[in-house]
Amino acid sequence: MRSKWPERLLLLPATVWLLVMLVLPLAVVLVFSFGERGPAGGYVPAFTLAQYANLPARFTAFKNTLTLAPLGTFAALIVAYPLAYFLAVKANPRVKTILLVMIIVPFWTSILIRTYAWIFILGGQGIPKLLAMGGLEGIRLINTPTAVLIGIIYGYLPLMVFPIYVSLEKLDKRLLEASEDLGSSPLRTFRNVTLPLSMPGIATGCMLVFILLMGEFLVPALLGGGKVFFIGNALVDLFLQSRNWAYGSAVAATLVIVMLVVVSIYMKLVMRGTNQRKDMSLL
Amino acid sequence: MRSKWPERLLLLPATVWLLVMLVLPLAVVLVFSFGERGPAGGYVPAFTLAQYANLPARFTAFKNTLTLAPLGTFAALIVAYPLAYFLAVKANPRVKTILLVMIIVPFWTSILIRTYAWIFILGGQGIPKLLAMGGLEGIRLINTPTAVLIGIIYGYLPLMVFPIYVSLEKLDKRLLEASEDLGSSPLRTFRNVTLPLSMPGIATGCMLVFILLMGEFLVPALLGGGKVFFIGNALVDLFLQSRNWAYGSAVAATLVIVMLVVVSIYMKLVMRGTNQRKDMSLL
Amino acid sequence: MKHKLATPSASDTPVVSFSGVWKRYGVIVAARDLNFSVQPGEFLSLLGPSGCGKTTSLRMMAGFDQPSEGEVYLEGERVNGVPAYRRPVNMVFQHYALFPHLDISDNIAYGLRQRSPRPSGEYIEKRIAEILQLVRLEGFEQRRIWELSGGQQQRVALARALINQPKVLLLDEPLAALDRKLRREMQIELQNLQRNVGITFVLVTHDQEEALSMSDRVCIMRDGEIVQIGSPLDLYDRPKNKYVADFVGKSNFFEGHVKQVNASYIDVQLDCGVTISTVPSVEMDQHHAGSRVSVSVRPEQLILARDEKQLPEDCVIKLKARVLNRIFLGEHTEYLLRDESLGEFLALSPRQNEVSESPFETSEIVHVAWGREASLVLGDD
Amino acid sequence: MKHKLATPSASDTPVVSFSGVWKRYGVIVAARDLNFSVQPGEFLSLLGPSGCGKTTSLRMMAGFDQPSEGEVYLEGERVNGVPAYRRPVNMVFQHYALFPHLDISDNIAYGLRQRSPRPSGEYIEKRIAEILQLVRLEGFEQRRIWELSGGQQQRVALARALINQPKVLLLDEPLAALDRKLRREMQIELQNLQRNVGITFVLVTHDQEEALSMSDRVCIMRDGEIVQIGSPLDLYDRPKNKYVADFVGKSNFFEGHVKQVNASYIDVQLDCGVTISTVPSVEMDQHHAGSRVSVSVRPEQLILARDEKQLPEDCVIKLKARVLNRIFLGEHTEYLLRDESLGEFLALSPRQNEVSESPFETSEIVHVAWGREASLVLGDD
């Protein structure tokens, strides 16, 4: 029987890491959320549920986040899947390289800059003007949930494309031939083989996008104007502008709890749904 | 000779994609940068170099970005490599899984929330207080470049760990044995085999972190206070607060140009340095 | 020929038939004017090195590839352009290509469930049970693919194809992933299975031993062309040319030219000056005095002896050679020999002969002889 | 024994020597009391199925694993605990393990460049040129690994190890990744190389044909133990037990018990009632009347004939059997036969015998016989 000590010692840095990276920040947020706002902002230690009682004031931000985040995730999936499929299955190597570069290169310029450009494209001088010239007057895009959704799809598409691409790429093409050989038409082969085997990629992509959307504030701020606020915006407002750390922490703590619940339910569903041994990659 | 048309047709969606995703936003930014600020903010068409002439006013932001981004990238690399190495080479499967989860799980809560917690940890009530209790008085962390650097390492570590981990993970362990068998000590084996073969991962990680740092504004805003501004902050300021789109676009355009130059030089160096056929993954 | 294949008589219709089939990929020709047919219940192997067109031919039978030119028939029906999922053939893939997201019984039932109308649940259950019994995997229904060994996966792949009762079962190097001992077992199992189910088998392989030991007929291919089709015995004893003689078993080749064509044998003068009497592997009239030929002598046809008197009387050649190397191969011993004029050549000596006398040693001089029937004049390449 | 190994005489010191070596991983025993030595210039193979401990033994020679118990000696020097990079042995890895970031010449020079003092550039250049000539890869200096074929990579791996002039070259299934035809060629090349450079070779393989054809001695392993060490001929003709007889070549086994032990032979009554005269594969005195034994008869030792008169006089058994299956294997034909009392058994008939008379057909009744020397009584497992 070998001693368990060396292994435990190896786990020590990992434990410290977990504490500093996850537990400590969350603990700070949790402690703050029971405190009070100082006279000049910031935080004053206390134990009160006042901040939580105040949550309904930010109801719209919660509502927007919890409707547009799933919707945006789904929309990104719908747009990303055909692209990833084309990349992984249909494209010849040269086209594939070009396409991959095209998807990656936009990443090289900050999302900030690229999203600003959308303000113009969706704004009065952009698409609505083109539509007006075509006879469709009075279409408003900027500062609507639609604009936010477009921004989300735009910004998160590569994050969705890549995991799906990877799972489709490593899909053994002979499985598709085997399915056809056994009498399955290409459409049924897609449903019976391709789709189930790309589930890990779909699950990873959706989770990644959804989690990041829960903290999103850039896109709603830029493309939603003052009209479509997310919780991310509420946090920026509370911490940076009004410096109400206690209330901000209560919002953040609530968000984390909501997210952990959603993610764990989702994980359970995915685990049961795919029923795969080890293909469940987390990133 | 087969017709080239089908292939060209296949490239059409890709070309549209590239236009919408990359060229159009950059074109908008470029056009804007030659325009003027409207009376109530926004953009008025014009052709003037006034915005570019004004760039030196944001010199500090450029300087901070172009010093702290490479520094942060390097610091993240130094911290990430041993961790990735331990994960890929030394850890047994169980420890590895635990560690991977520990690195990923923090990602599940928005970077916004986690970074806020660092305000407290680095602030007057956090580490400096602990140090003061230990006799080291007057240490200031929050709102210094050091705080920004710590925030960068914290936020970008997983982005650096993963590509390196992947390249070390797929490194054939027998190559290490072959090197030892041929008379190379473990240390020299690391230098002769492990390091060169993990170069693609290092290159990918560094590029990823560097590019994202060029657009970073959260960490400088939160941990740098008003003192350590990045270009990202300048952009947020110009577009959201002062609504000077023309000047903001000039700053953005300059940043993109600087970045493209840096990245292309870097790519050339890396390509020459690693001299590898196909291991250069971009994400 | 074409018309006969297109309008075949009822009973002896070939199951598969290729008529003038070409397959081009751009400028590359993967199959060149293929003409052959497979009879019902036959076990045919397509044998050749990689890139010889054997896999392309198989894929054209399966419907994954379509011929650029020529006709492919299944049971007398032209199937050019018919996609794989509409053809009554099934394939066992090289690395099995089992569905990792389905358990064994769902893998096996896959083909049945694609039928319309879809068979009843009980019928499918019954068929799965039958086929699992056939491949000796009873009780494996709920297992996952990765829980099976290579040999078991191989059997599931067979079961998944056989359950559809295909007109032809196509096998694409089905044993390549198994180790030697297991491969030998599976070869015997496959052969028995084919006899039991009576389904026509077409096997693609680059392993000559596999092709020779399992098939009724072997089709040897090179560069997209058929070189020779025949029974294993035919190919071994009457190889059409040097390529076949070299690919099917080992052989010693001696170059020379035809000196005289006689009634039933041919005198060949070898380049070293020796003249030997040989028999032709192809039609007699292909050979003319003066034409360059190769003479093939199988190593096991060589008779070795310490004493010249032990050699049989009726040999076409008798010589003395030095043993350069001896390799012990179990049932027989392989000697690398060297003769002044003939150069280096191989001889195989069965162990039976060595039980009575001791094996020859390296550097020993031995007497070598072989008969006329053992020296084959080969046709043009 | 241990002391003799620890203080060896000068000239005939074994290059490698294991003395009571055990290797445990937790509760798993990977090597169990191994005692053997390898003589200078010898070609030794460790043969066995996966998990038999052959690779563990090799890794203990290389220094990647250290024995849990017992002594490992290299040229008489105890090397327990000495790491791999300080041992004067080199290894050819199963999948070559060539460095993908270095070109061929840097791969080959790797070992020389690790020496201190580091040899001069010219010396390294010279040695690379020499070794590339040895493995017939002149002009490949600047190539990259992925530009080479499997056989060429194999030769680079050999060159990279040989350039260091190791005391022993360890080969870990070096030919497993090559296809059959190429493997056969590389076997001959390896054998020639070993004779030319005079370096001691230790080869690990699960391929009995490879081990038999290449090695001076073969060490057969099972479950971490050595079952038998001997020359290929020894193992084939005098297998210690059923495991060895079955692993080295094919054999027919008949179970029975010893009826009577005579001066030079043993009468065994088989379970079917037949009594045959046999010779023992191990020492005579291991067998006693009444003890259960297996009798092994090699398929090629069986004599088949249509006419009983063709059978030799001095046979210990003569019977009639039905041909169940015939497999044509090139140099010989394999028959699966069935006799009422003995059951099913295999016979190999060389093609030589069939040139004069036609091969036997399935269902035909043939006469079968074999001599006393062909029936081996095996020792205990």
Side-chain angles (χ1 to χ4, degrees):
Chain A
M1 296 299 286
R2 288 164 72 199
S3 162
K4 288 255 174 212
W5 268 106
E7 192 172 304
R8 279 190 195 148
L9 218 65
L10 281 178
L11 279 176
L12 189 68
T15 314
V16 171
W17 170 274
L18 183 70
L19 281 177
V20 172
M21 285 287 168
L22 184 66
V23 178
L24 191 57
L26 289 187
V28 169
V29 165
L30 210 62
V31 169
F32 275 28
S33 72
F34 294 109
E36 278 172 356
R37 183 180 190 272
Y43 163 72
V44 171
F47 188 82
T48 161
L49 291 172
Q51 311 306 339
Y52 286 97
N54 230 341
L55 280 183
R58 296 289 176 169
F59 175 73
T60 322
F62 274 100
K63 196 197 74 184
N64 283 338
T65 309
L66 291 176
T67 51
L68 283 175
L71 205 63
T73 307
F74 185 71
L77 173 65
I78 295 299
V79 178
Y81 200 97
L83 188 66
Y85 183 82
F86 177 77
L87 266 174
V89 179
K90 295 287 174 190
N92 68 47
R94 212 170 61 91
V95 174
K96 186 189 283 190
T97 311
I98 295 173
L99 277 176
L100 279 176
V101 168
M102 279 180 186
I103 296 174
I104 294 160
V105 165
F107 248 137
W108 287 6
T109 58
S110 140
I111 175 80
L112 201 65
I113 297 170
R114 282 177 296 131
T115 308
Y116 278 126
W118 277 95
I119 300 182
F120 172 74
I121 296 168
L122 297 176
Q125 304 299 306
I127 293 174
K129 197 173 183 180
L130 287 177
L131 290 176
M133 280 158 65
L136 270 169
E137 302 253 357
I139 302 283
R140 213 183 120 72
L141 284 174
I142 193 75
N143 300 348
T144 64
T146 312
V148 175
L149 213 54
I150 291 176
I152 287 172
I153 297 174
Y154 172 75
Y156 288 88
L157 198 52
L159 280 179
M160 188 64 96
V161 167
F162 271 97
I164 299 177
Y165 167 75
V166 167
S167 71
L168 284 173
E169 170 81 330
K170 74 181 172 199
L171 188 150
D172 187 347
K173 302 300 171 292
R174 278 167 309 201
L175 293 180
L176 307 183
E177 287 194 343
S179 170
E180 281 205 49
D181 183 64
L182 292 165
S184 202
S185 66
L187 203 69
R188 295 183 70 175
T189 295
F190 176 80
R191 209 191 58 202
N192 289 340
V193 181
T194 313
L195 201 57
L197 287 177
S198 60
M199 270 315 285
I202 294 175
T204 307
C206 285
M207 190 142 94
L208 208 61
V209 169
F210 181 76
I211 285 165
L212 290 177
L213 275 181
M214 296 298 269
E216 181 61 49
F217 56 93
L218 253 187
V219 174
L222 296 177
L223 301 181
K227 311 238 160 49
V228 192
F229 258 42
F230 272 31
I231 300 175
N233 303 89
L235 292 175
V236 171
D237 174 36
L238 288 170
F239 279 94
L240 281 186
Q241 260 91 50
S242 31
R243 288 186 43 74
N244 189 342
W245 289 16
Y247 188 33
S249 295
V251 172
T254 310
L255 176 64
V256 168
I257 290 163
V258 168
M259 202 147 70
L260 287 180
V261 169
V262 170
V263 166
S264 54
I265 290 174
Y266 178 78
M267 288 282 282
K268 252 189 202 144
L269 285 178
V270 165
M271 287 298 187
R272 200 190 311 163
T274 61
N275 209 354
Q276 290 217 297
R277 191 176 42 152
K278 51 171 186 179
D279 270 353
M280 184 66 206
S281 67
L282 283 158
L283 192 80
Chain B
M1 298 296 286
R2 285 164 73 199
S3 161
K4 289 251 171 212
W5 270 106
E7 193 174 302
R8 280 188 194 150
L9 217 67
L10 281 178
L11 278 175
L12 189 68
T15 314
V16 172
W17 171 273
L18 184 71
L19 282 177
V20 172
M21 284 288 168
L22 183 66
V23 178
L24 191 58
L26 289 187
V28 170
V29 165
L30 211 63
V31 169
F32 275 28
S33 71
F34 294 109
E36 279 173 352
R37 182 179 190 274
Y43 162 72
V44 170
F47 187 81
T48 164
L49 292 173
Q51 312 305 339
Y52 285 97
N54 229 342
L55 280 182
R58 298 288 176 168
F59 175 73
T60 325
F62 273 99
K63 196 199 72 185
N64 282 338
T65 309
L66 290 175
T67 51
L68 282 175
L71 205 64
T73 306
F74 184 71
L77 174 64
I78 295 300
V79 178
Y81 200 98
L83 188 66
Y85 183 82
F86 177 78
L87 265 174
V89 180
K90 295 286 175 193
N92 68 45
R94 212 169 61 90
V95 173
K96 184 189 284 191
T97 310
I98 294 171
L99 276 176
L100 279 176
V101 168
M102 279 179 184
I103 295 172
I104 293 161
V105 165
F107 248 137
W108 288 6
T109 59
S110 142
I111 176 78
L112 201 66
I113 297 170
R114 282 177 295 133
T115 308
Y116 277 126
W118 277 95
I119 300 182
F120 174 75
I121 298 168
L122 298 176
Q125 303 299 308
I127 294 173
K129 197 172 183 180
L130 287 176
L131 291 176
M133 282 157 64
L136 269 168
E137 301 254 357
I139 301 285
R140 214 183 119 72
L141 283 174
I142 194 76
N143 300 349
T144 65
T146 312
V148 174
L149 214 54
I150 292 176
I152 286 171
I153 298 175
Y154 171 76
Y156 289 87
L157 197 52
L159 279 180
M160 187 65 96
V161 167
F162 271 96
I164 299 175
Y165 166 75
V166 168
S167 70
L168 285 172
E169 169 81 329
K170 73 181 173 199
L171 188 151
D172 189 347
K173 302 299 171 294
R174 278 168 309 201
L175 294 179
L176 307 182
E177 287 194 342
S179 170
E180 282 205 47
D181 182 65
L182 292 165
S184 199
S185 67
L187 204 68
R188 295 185 68 177
T189 294
F190 176 80
R191 209 191 58 200
N192 290 339
V193 182
T194 313
L195 202 56
L197 287 177
S198 60
M199 270 313 286
I202 295 176
T204 307
C206 285
M207 189 142 94
L208 208 62
V209 168
F210 182 76
I211 286 166
L212 290 178
L213 274 180
M214 297 297 268
E216 181 62 50
F217 56 93
L218 253 187
V219 173
L222 297 177
L223 301 180
K227 311 240 161 47
V228 192
F229 257 41
F230 273 31
I231 300 175
N233 304 90
L235 291 176
V236 171
D237 175 34
L238 287 171
F239 280 93
L240 280 184
Q241 260 91 54
S242 32
R243 288 186 42 75
N244 190 342
W245 288 18
Y247 187 33
S249 295
V251 172
T254 310
L255 176 65
V256 168
I257 289 162
V258 168
M259 200 146 71
L260 287 180
V261 170
V262 171
V263 166
S264 53
I265 291 173
Y266 179 78
M267 288 283 281
K268 249 185 205 146
L269 287 178
V270 165
M271 286 298 186
R272 200 188 314 160
T274 61
N275 209 355
Q276 288 218 297
R277 191 176 44 152
K278 51 171 186 178
D279 270 354
M280 184 67 204
S281 67
L282 283 158
L283 192 83
Chain C
M1 185 68 183
K2 261 190 192 175
H3 280 94
K4 202 195 155 200
L5 287 171
T7 56
S9 61
S11 66
D12 62 344
T13 315
V15 184
V16 182
S17 168
F18 274 44
S19 166
V21 169
W22 290 69
K23 178 68 188 178
R24 295 188 185 84
Y25 295 102
V27 292
I28 296 155
V29 180
R32 194 184 296 269
D33 193 25
L34 302 182
N35 290 286
F36 68 93
S37 42
V38 188
Q39 300 307 317
E42 195 182 15
F43 194 139
L44 178 84
S45 290
L46 304 178
L47 175 66
S50 59
C52 73
K54 55 188 195 301
T55 302
T56 303
S57 305
L58 201 74
R59 291 176 63 85
M60 287 193 282
M61 294 181 205
F64 296 132
D65 286 337
Q66 302 296 341
S68 312
E69 213 177 288
E71 261 61 59
V72 175
Y73 300 91
L74 285 179
E75 294 207 314
E77 213 168 304
R78 187 173 176 276
V79 292
N80 291 37
V82 176
Y85 63 94
R86 291 228 179 90
R87 295 195 185 189
V89 303
N90 287 113
M91 185 138 156
V92 175
F93 290 80
Q94 189 165 5
H95 295 278
Y96 321 136
L98 299 175
F99 302 118
H101 59 303
L102 302 179
D103 66 15
I104 303 306
S105 73
D106 286 341
N107 260 285
I108 292 177
Y110 194 92
L112 294 182
R113 294 204 175 118
Q114 303 311 314
R115 292 197 184 159
S116 62
R118 188 163 156 166
S120 71
E122 298 105 67
Y123 174 76
I124 293 178
E125 292 290 317
K126 200 178 118 264
R127 295 282 292 133
I128 293 174
E130 282 171 15
I131 211 89
L132 279 177
Q133 198 180 7
L134 185 70
V135 298
R136 301 192 284 108
L137 281 177
E138 298 98 329
F140 278 66
E141 286 85 352
Q142 310 311 323
R143 299 283 188 94
R144 311 296 305 192
I145 300 304
W146 56 81
E147 295 170 356
L148 303 191
S149 69
Q152 289 169 336
Q153 290 189 22
Q154 168 64 67
R155 289 201 216 117
V156 173
L158 264 173
R160 187 179 66 172
L162 287 175
I163 202 169
N164 307 298
Q165 298 176 300
K167 303 295 181 199
V168 199
L169 185 72
L170 308 174
L171 302 116
D172 186 10
E173 309 243 12
L175 309 177
L178 305 178
D179 70 24
R180 186 186 293 225
K181 205 103 184 166
L182 193 55
R183 201 157 58 209
R184 197 75 199 93
E185 276 170 35
M186 285 303 300
Q187 280 173 13
I188 293 169
E189 219 166 279
L190 257 185
Q191 215 180 2
N192 289 337
L193 197 71
Q194 197 251 347
R195 282 174 199 173
N196 293 341
V197 296
I199 290 175
T200 311
F201 276 33
V202 177
L203 170 82
V204 152
T205 183
H206 67 270
D207 182 336
Q208 54 112 334
E209 197 178 306
E210 196 165 294
L212 292 188
S213 66
M214 293 167 77
S215 343
D216 297 317
R217 280 197 305 157
V218 178
C219 170
I220 296 194
M221 300 185 71
R222 177 177 54 172
D223 297 339
E225 281 182 307
I226 295 173
V227 182
Q228 191 173 6
I229 304 188
S231 74
L233 218 61
D234 270 353
L235 296 176
Y236 193 81
D237 287 345
R238 282 177 292 282
K240 195 179 153 197
N241 55 26
K242 207 166 157 178
Y243 177 78
V244 176
D246 196 30
F247 205 84
V248 178
K250 284 179 199 168
S251 203
N252 297 301
F253 297 103
F254 305 106
E255 309 299 322
H257 62 270
V258 174
K259 202 173 172 189
Q260 196 182 334
V261 179
N262 304 303
S264 63
Y265 61 95
I266 294 171
D267 288 327
V268 173
Q269 176 158 25
L270 300 182
D271 291 349
C272 60
V274 178
T275 300
I276 61 170
S277 176
T278 65
V279 291
S281 71
V282 288
E283 285 76 48
M284 200 77 186
D285 55 9
Q286 283 202 8
H287 297 289
H288 307 284
S291 61
R292 302 255 344 134
V293 288
S294 295
V295 176
S296 156
V297 185
R298 298 282 183 195
E300 74 273 16
Q301 307 276 29
L302 273 65
I303 302 157
L304 305 184
R306 282 219 168 75
D307 186 355
E308 199 178 349
K309 288 178 205 125
Q310 288 174 302
L311 295 178
E313 285 302 301
D314 59 339
C315 291
V316 294
I317 197 162
K318 285 188 188 182
L319 49 92
K320 288 199 286 185
R322 182 180 296 277
V323 176
L324 294 184
N325 194 8
R326 181 181 72 187
I327 297 177
F328 174 71
L329 292 171
E331 305 92 41
H332 44 237
T333 308
E334 183 181 287
Y335 294 99
L336 180 63
L337 302 166
R338 186 178 168 76
D339 169 69
E340 289 296 298
S341 44
L342 287 181
E344 292 184 8
F345 56 94
L346 288 175
L348 269 191
S349 174
R351 291 298 314 284
Q352 274 182 333
N353 300 1
E354 289 175 1
V355 173
S356 38
E357 57 179 325
S358 63
F360 307 110
E361 298 298 328
T362 304
S363 299
E364 194 177 341
I365 306 281
V366 294
H367 292 275
V368 183
W370 66 81
R372 181 191 290 160
E373 300 297 315
S375 356
L376 278 182
V377 187
L378 303 176
D380 288 339
D381 244 23
Chain D
M1 184 68 181
K2 259 187 194 177
H3 280 94
K4 201 194 154 201
L5 287 170
T7 57
S9 61
S11 69
D12 62 345
T13 316
V15 184
V16 182
S17 169
F18 274 44
S19 168
V21 168
W22 290 68
K23 178 69 188 177
R24 294 188 186 84
Y25 296 102
V27 291
I28 296 155
V29 180
R32 193 185 295 269
D33 193 26
L34 302 183
N35 291 286
F36 67 94
S37 42
V38 188
Q39 299 307 317
E42 195 182 15
F43 193 140
L44 178 83
S45 291
L46 304 178
L47 175 66
S50 58
C52 72
K54 57 189 194 300
T55 302
T56 303
S57 306
L58 200 74
R59 290 176 63 85
M60 286 192 285
M61 295 181 203
F64 296 131
D65 287 336
Q66 303 294 342
S68 311
E69 213 176 288
E71 260 62 59
V72 174
Y73 299 91
L74 285 179
E75 295 207 313
E77 212 168 303
R78 186 174 177 278
V79 291
N80 292 35
V82 175
Y85 64 95
R86 292 228 179 87
R87 294 195 185 189
V89 303
N90 285 112
M91 183 137 153
V92 175
F93 290 81
Q94 188 165 6
H95 296 279
Y96 320 137
L98 299 175
F99 302 119
H101 59 302
L102 302 179
D103 66 15
I104 303 306
S105 73
D106 286 342
N107 259 286
I108 293 176
Y110 194 91
L112 293 181
R113 295 205 174 116
Q114 303 311 313
R115 292 198 183 157
S116 59
R118 188 164 155 164
S120 72
E122 298 104 66
Y123 174 76
I124 292 179
E125 292 290 318
K126 201 177 118 266
R127 293 283 293 132
I128 292 175
E130 282 170 16
I131 210 89
L132 279 177
Q133 198 180 6
L134 186 70
V135 298
R136 301 192 283 108
L137 282 177
E138 298 98 328
F140 277 66
E141 286 85 352
Q142 310 312 324
R143 299 282 188 95
R144 313 293 308 191
I145 299 306
W146 56 82
E147 294 169 357
L148 303 191
S149 70
Q152 289 169 337
Q153 290 190 22
Q154 168 63 67
R155 290 203 216 114
V156 173
L158 264 171
R160 187 180 65 173
L162 286 174
I163 203 169
N164 306 299
Q165 298 175 299
K167 303 295 182 199
V168 198
L169 185 72
L170 308 174
L171 301 116
D172 186 10
E173 309 243 11
L175 308 178
L178 304 178
D179 70 25
R180 185 187 294 224
K181 204 104 187 167
L182 193 56
R183 201 158 57 211
R184 197 75 199 91
E185 277 171 34
M186 285 303 300
Q187 280 174 14
I188 293 170
E189 219 165 277
L190 258 185
Q191 216 180 0
N192 290 336
L193 196 72
Q194 197 251 347
R195 281 174 201 173
N196 294 340
V197 297
I199 290 176
T200 311
F201 277 33
V202 177
L203 170 82
V204 152
T205 183
H206 67 269
D207 182 336
Q208 55 111 338
E209 198 178 305
E210 196 164 293
L212 291 188
S213 65
M214 293 167 76
S215 343
D216 297 317
R217 278 195 308 156
V218 178
C219 172
I220 296 193
M221 301 186 69
R222 177 178 52 174
D223 298 339
E225 280 182 309
I226 295 172
V227 182
Q228 191 172 4
I229 304 188
S231 74
L233 218 60
D234 270 355
L235 295 176
Y236 193 82
D237 288 345
R238 281 175 294 283
K240 196 178 152 197
N241 55 26
K242 206 167 158 178
Y243 178 76
V244 176
D246 196 29
F247 205 82
V248 178
K250 283 180 200 171
S251 204
N252 296 302
F253 297 104
F254 305 106
E255 309 299 321
H257 63 268
V258 174
K259 202 172 171 187
Q260 196 181 333
V261 179
N262 304 303
S264 62
Y265 61 95
I266 293 172
D267 289 327
V268 172
Q269 176 158 26
L270 300 183
D271 291 349
C272 61
V274 179
T275 300
I276 61 172
S277 177
T278 65
V279 292
S281 71
V282 290
E283 286 76 49
M284 199 77 186
D285 56 9
Q286 282 203 8
H287 296 288
H288 307 283
S291 61
R292 303 260 337 142
V293 287
S294 294
V295 176
S296 156
V297 185
R298 297 282 183 197
E300 74 274 15
Q301 306 277 28
L302 272 66
I303 300 157
L304 305 185
R306 281 221 168 74
D307 186 356
E308 200 175 349
K309 289 175 203 124
Q310 288 174 301
L311 296 178
E313 284 304 299
D314 58 339
C315 291
V316 294
I317 196 161
K318 286 187 188 182
L319 49 92
K320 288 198 288 185
R322 183 181 295 277
V323 176
L324 293 185
N325 194 9
R326 181 181 73 187
I327 297 176
F328 175 71
L329 292 171
E331 307 91 41
H332 44 238
T333 308
E334 183 181 290
Y335 294 97
L336 180 63
L337 302 166
R338 187 178 167 75
D339 167 71
E340 289 297 295
S341 44
L342 286 180
E344 293 183 9
F345 55 94
L346 287 175
L348 269 191
S349 174
R351 290 300 312 284
Q352 276 183 331
N353 298 2
E354 289 175 1
V355 174
S356 39
E357 59 179 322
S358 64
F360 307 110
E361 298 298 329
T362 306
S363 298
E364 195 178 340
I365 306 282
V366 294
H367 293 274
V368 184
W370 67 81
R372 182 192 289 161
E373 300 297 315
S375 355
L376 279 181
V377 186
L378 304 176
D380 289 339
D381 243 21

